[in-house]
């Protein structure tokens, strides 16, 4: 299971309850009450993805703080759970998080998971308990559950965005590398299916590669492809491949999900190998954000400092804001609150947010934009987003 990388003083809004207009939030403040509700969040706070997990959690906290930590008179408590070891997320820990949330009678919603495919270990428990589950990052295409939804687009959407970007770069033929992970299979399947509609040819329709890097380099050169698309997750083998194919042909364009740089082994790539590298991540550039989004960035930086990546935190913020909106729509002390809040979220339509107006249809978000980053002086920097294409 691998995450998406979304290419910031004390929490300023926590101490004082604010209105929906304050701090860029969309949740409504309500009068104090005596009830208590819990929202659980399960994220990989340990291991290589801890920074993104913390940013998502910070976004969730900010949205809740802007609502005064109350909805319809009930106090809302955010409870965090870790679904990862030092090596990364595990299905066992994800399942444990789901059971903890389901076993708490005050649970009204659950925000998680962050990494592609990891929700498959929590959906059965949460759907069975009728608990709303909103993922801020799990993009695996085949996820489904009666109470599952996500505010991040699917892998298939990313593959189409990558193909559109390659076409924009003038690529005619690409060499496809698939790593057989959930994320890799999802991306590769869409690339193979949709490439022709973008006027792109696939040099190797099977899309797989072995451990022999020299043989891979020879095959890529023989194919005359002008770009390599890595449909996969972070792995120690990636830097070796990047270095080898770049040494053989410095002009070769290389496309991948931005999450590949989360693995510590990415530091082994050479400066030359990072040239002509294009990295995709769901989101928008700062200047493409709506007014609520730029307000969020300002508030996020004031709360956490610029060292925290707002581009990751914005998905946690949008997820929490949507959950609070669904809760608010039920009114005070509703009957069958768990099932009703799940239904309310799944029926969200044209909801304003920090990422723009979106709807949830069939558990999927209508948000589809991706940011593409390239390297400049050895540092990956956002170049453009697909909303501008």
């Amino acid at each position: 299971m691998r995450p998406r990388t979304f290419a910031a003083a004390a929490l300023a809004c926590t101490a004082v309850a604010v209105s929906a207009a304050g701090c860029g939030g969309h949740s409504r403040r309500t009068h104090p009450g005596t009830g208590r509700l819990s929202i659980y969040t399960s994220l990989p706070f340990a291991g290589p993805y801890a920074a993104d997990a913390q940013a998502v959690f910070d976004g969730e906290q900010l949205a809740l703080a802007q609502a005064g930590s109350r909805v319809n008179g009930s106090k809302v408590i955010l409870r965090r759970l870790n679904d990862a070891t030092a090596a990364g997320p595990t299905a066992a820990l994800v399942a444990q998080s789901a059971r903890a949330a389901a076993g708490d009678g005050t649970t009204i919603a659950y925000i998680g998971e962050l990494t592609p495919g990891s929700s498959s270990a929590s959906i059965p428990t949460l759907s069975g308990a009728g608990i709303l589950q909103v993922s801020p990052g799990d993009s695996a295409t085949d996820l489904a559950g009666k109470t599952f939804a996500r505010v991040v687009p699917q892998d298939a959407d990313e593959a189409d965005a990558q193909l559109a970007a390659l076409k924009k770069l003038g690529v005619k033929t690409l060499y496809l590398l698939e790593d057989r992970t959930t994320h890799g299979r999802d991306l590769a399947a869409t690339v193979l299916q949709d490439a022709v509609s973008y006027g792109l040819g696939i040099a190797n329709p099977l899309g797989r590669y072995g451990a022999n890097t020299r043989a891979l380099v020879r095959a890529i050169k023989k194919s005359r492809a002008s770009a390599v698309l890595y449909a996969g997750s972070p792995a120690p083998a990636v830097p070796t491949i990047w270095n080898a194919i770049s040494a053989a042909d410095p002009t070769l364009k290389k496309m991948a999900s931005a999450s590949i740089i989360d693995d510590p082994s990415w530091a082994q790539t050479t400066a030359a190998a990072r040239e002509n590298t294009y990295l995709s991540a769901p989101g928008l550039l700062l200047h493409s954000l709506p007014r609520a989004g730029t307000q969020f960035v300002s508030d996020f930086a004031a709360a956490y400092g610029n060292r925290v990546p707002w581009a990751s935190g914005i998905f946690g913020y949008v997820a929490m804001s949507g959950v609070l909106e669904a809760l608010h729509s039920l009114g005070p002390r509703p009957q069958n609150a768990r099932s009703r809040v799940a239904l309310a979220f799944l029926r969200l339509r044209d909801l304003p947010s920090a990422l723009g107006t979106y709807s949830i249809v069939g558990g999927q978000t209508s948000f589809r934009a991706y940011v593409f980053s390239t390297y400049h002086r050895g540092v990956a920097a956002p170049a453009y987003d697909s909303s501008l294409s």
Side-chain angles (χ1 to χ4, degrees):
M1 298 179 290
R2 298 292 187 179
R4 315 293 304 166
T5 300
F6 311 108
L11 185 56
C13 296
T14 301
V16 180
V18 295
S19 68
C23 291
H26 295 288
S27 303
R28 302 176 178 88
R29 184 184 174 188
T30 57
H31 297 293
T34 58
R36 186 183 69 177
L37 301 172
S38 296
I39 296 176
Y40 279 80
T41 186
S42 175
L43 300 166
F45 289 105
Y49 320 118
D52 280 325
Q54 185 62 50
V56 170
F57 179 67
D58 289 343
E60 295 169 11
Q61 289 190 107
L62 181 60
L64 184 56
Q66 291 172 358
S69 296
R70 290 185 178 276
V71 174
N72 293 330
S74 294
K75 182 173 179 60
V76 180
I77 300 171
L78 179 60
R79 304 183 186 279
R80 78 183 241 172
L81 299 170
N82 174 43
D83 64 19
T85 66
T90 72
L93 288 176
V94 169
Q96 181 176 298
S97 292
R99 289 193 298 269
D104 184 345
T106 70
T107 301
I108 197 66
Y110 178 103
I111 300 177
E113 273 39 61
L114 186 62
T115 60
S118 55
S119 297
S120 60
S122 53
I123 286 174
T125 297
L126 296 169
S127 286
I131 296 172
L132 170 64
Q133 178 177 4
V134 181
S135 172
D138 192 339
S139 57
T141 301
D142 61 353
L143 294 175
K146 66 179 182 180
T147 62
F148 175 80
R150 52 184 155 197
V151 295
V152 68
Q154 301 180 62
D155 289 335
D157 298 314
E158 180 174 20
D160 280 323
Q162 290 177 333
L163 290 170
L166 288 168
K167 179 180 180 180
K168 185 176 181 179
L169 290 168
V171 173
K172 299 297 183 183
T173 303
L174 62 89
Y175 200 96
L176 178 63
L177 303 179
E178 179 201 336
D179 71 348
R180 298 182 178 88
T181 61
T182 297
H183 182 51
R185 289 195 304 270
D186 284 351
L187 288 174
T190 302
V191 168
L192 290 169
Q193 175 181 300
D194 295 353
V196 66
S197 64
Y198 290 90
L200 299 173
I202 307 294
N204 58 327
L206 291 179
R208 294 175 179 170
Y209 65 95
N212 191 328
T213 304
R214 289 185 179 181
L216 174 62
V217 170
R218 289 195 298 270
I220 293 174
K221 291 186 69 174
K222 185 178 180 180
S223 74
R224 297 178 182 269
S226 57
V228 168
L229 192 157
Y230 174 66
S233 299
V238 175
T240 301
I241 295 171
W242 239 245
N243 289 339
I245 61 179
S246 299
D249 183 358
T251 68
L252 194 68
K253 297 177 177 63
K254 302 171 289 292
M255 176 74 72
S257 296
S259 60
I260 64 168
I261 69 174
D262 284 333
D263 194 283
S265 65
W266 182 254
Q268 299 170 15
T269 53
T270 65
R274 296 182 181 189
E275 292 296 317
N276 289 318
T277 291
Y278 300 84
L279 304 170
S280 58
L284 292 167
L285 293 177
L286 181 60
H287 65 261
S288 296
L289 291 172
R291 180 177 298 179
T294 55
Q295 184 64 57
F296 158 79
V297 174
S298 176
D299 297 333
F300 194 78
Y304 307 112
N306 291 319
R307 59 182 175 77
V308 181
W310 67 263
S312 298
I314 197 169
F315 284 93
Y317 182 84
V318 169
M320 176 61 81
S321 297
V323 169
L324 295 176
E325 179 65 27
L327 270 169
H328 181 87
S329 71
L330 303 183
R333 303 186 182 283
Q335 297 297 313
N336 304 315
R338 277 188 175 179
S339 59
R340 288 185 62 195
V341 73
L343 186 60
F345 190 94
L346 292 169
R347 289 178 174 175
L348 287 178
R349 298 293 187 272
D350 301 322
L351 181 68
S353 81
L355 287 168
T357 300
Y358 74 96
S359 298
I360 298 294
V361 181
Q364 312 303 324
T365 179
S366 60
F367 179 78
R368 296 285 188 274
Y370 284 81
V371 171
F372 287 86
S373 298
T374 58
Y375 276 87
H376 179 66
R377 295 181 179 178
V379 178
Y384 74 97
D385 65 59
S386 58
S387 72
L388 304 177
S389 300

